[in-house]
Amino acid sequence: MKAQLLKLWESRSPRERTIIAAAGVVLGIFIYVALVQTATRARIQLRSSVLSLRAQANSLEQQAVELERVRAAPPLLASQTDLRTLVQSEAAAAGLSRSLVSIDALDANQVAVVFGAVAFADWHNWIVALNLQQVRVDACRIEAMSTPGLVSITATLARAKPK
């Protein structure tokens, strides 16, 4: 095959050889430029990806440190005070006492609360605060009132059982 190509090349006139060589050089330069441009575009995309991935890695490292800190912290102990007293004091601290219609202790670890007209957002924040005290919602009925944002709530709250 090499001999055939050499025979074909030698059969061409010097002018044709010059034109073929020039076309080969131009084609080679074109391919080189196309490859360099593609590589440059890919490098720019990869650089932005690397920056994004580094930011994500830093975030994950911070979250891992926070997770280890939380795991190392001693567990929260449930308040040993009377559950009814605890719920009532948390309602007062949250400013929900005026909306609280009744609070009845069902047993040592359960209370039933009834709110007349309370802002749902305030009630939700109160429940979050109770969760920090290891008190959870066991059952709940929420009814919308005619005023937007206000609800009537009947709920049973229970002290979280130790694991």
Side-chain angles (χ1 to χ4, degrees), residues 40-89:
T40 302
R41 273 189 245 119
R43 192 179 93 239
I44 291 169
Q45 288 175 342
L46 288 174
R47 180 178 290 153
S48 67
S49 295
V50 166
L51 292 176
S52 172
L53 290 173
R54 282 185 182 155
Q56 288 177 1
N58 288 338
S59 174
L60 286 174
E61 287 175 6
Q62 290 172 352
Q63 290 174 3
V65 168
E66 178 67 14
L67 179 63
E68 289 303 318
R69 185 188 67 76
V70 168
R71 282 185 177 168
L76 291 175
L77 297 176
S79 174
Q80 295 305 315
T81 63
D82 177 44
L83 184 59
R84 184 180 187 281
T85 306
L86 175 67
V87 169
Q88 196 166 19
S89 67

Side-chain angles (χ1 to χ4, degrees), residues 10-61:
E10 289 175 353
S11 70
R12 303 288 172 209
S13 67
R15 184 171 183 221
E16 287 177 334
R17 287 183 197 166
T18 305
I19 291 173
I20 292 172
V25 168
V26 168
L27 182 63
I29 291 172
F30 176 76
I31 290 173
Y32 177 78
V33 168
L35 289 174
V36 167
Q37 283 182 342
T38 303
T40 302
R41 273 189 245 119
R43 192 179 93 239
I44 291 169
Q45 288 175 342
L46 288 174
R47 180 178 290 153
S48 67
S49 295
V50 166
L51 292 176
S52 172
L53 290 173
R54 282 185 182 155
Q56 288 177 1
N58 288 338
S59 174
L60 286 174
E61 287 175 6

